[in-house]
Amino acid sequence: MRVIRSLLVMCIFALATLTLAQTEGASLDERGYGLYVPSTYDEDSDEVLPLLIALHGFGDTWQNFYPATGFINRAEQDNFIVAFPQGYLRQWNDGSVGDHYEDDVQLLSDLIERVDRDYRVDRDRIYLAGFSNGGTMTFQAACERPDLFAGIASVGGTMRNGIAIEEVGLCADVQMPVLIIHGTQDTVVPFIGGEFRYGAVVGAAYWRQNNECMDEDVPTYDPDNFRNGFQTFLFDECAGGNLTMLHVIENGAHVWFGAESYVQEQTPQQPGLDTARLIWGFFEASYAAQQAAESEPEATPEATESSD
């Protein structure tokens, strides 16, 4: 079984390499994609597995991103499927003015249907994570199709303020777990944001408000309060268990932190951070929080009166 699965991944890899070299097609089959299914997957079982979709950065390919994220080892250890789609012209249409206007949200939907057709996917646990342009794409996809995803994580990719301001209503009522990971010395996608982008702190505040999170016990971001090279802000009292988290890396550059072979412009990386582990841990904690929120009995006037 393991050999067959490995051959399948290799065939997909070969197909994607061929199509990327010969065509600029925009469909899922024309672009190609990578897929990893853990060895624990049993075709004869009824068990469904979570699905994580990982989006590469601008100018990159899924073949380069696939081994570098750390998601393969994490998927094998924690029993989930991970898919790596390819951006058209090596980029994602995250809503910014770019080189193409392909519907990448629809492509993600097509990918989900494809993987669910071939394997047993837990449709309540489909997650989206991305780096840089791929990170910005996670916000676009979450706001456009919140029904598809159970949570998102962005590394080095900030949210376009147009989603919240110009396109009124696109994100206004969206609630879901959101994790933002960003370095303070990112010169490609600045930590403080820009004219058309929220900064990492403002983006986290936006989702804290959307998710109706309590923040009495969460300190305000302060660059003087770094400990061991990072600060973490976790809002864990949120409506529906939709956790919101900001992980800030002191002097961190524009990189996928913890990757051995995925370094943009050879910039040094912050030691000690396993991005894949942090992301999946956040998604698992969010799922537990959502389950707990669903099991809580709703407060009623009768219940309140009888408890007095």
Side-chain angles (χ1 to χ4, degrees), residues 21 26 97 125 134 219 261:
V97 177
R125 299 193 67 188
S261 59

Side-chain angles (χ1 to χ4, degrees), residues 13 16-21 31-34 54-69 83-92 131 133-134 261-262 264:
F13 190 103
T17 303
L18 178 63
T19 55
L20 286 174
R31 296 191 203 184
Y33 60 93
L55 307 180
H56 62 73
F58 180 88
D60 204 359
T61 65
W62 76 256
Q63 293 98 325
N64 184 48
F65 198 49
Y66 181 97
T69 59
F84 298 82
Q86 176 62 46
Y88 182 59
L89 301 180
R90 298 191 175 192
Q91 64 179 286
W92 299 104
F131 172 69
N133 169 225
S261 59
Y262 194 72
Q264 299 292 315

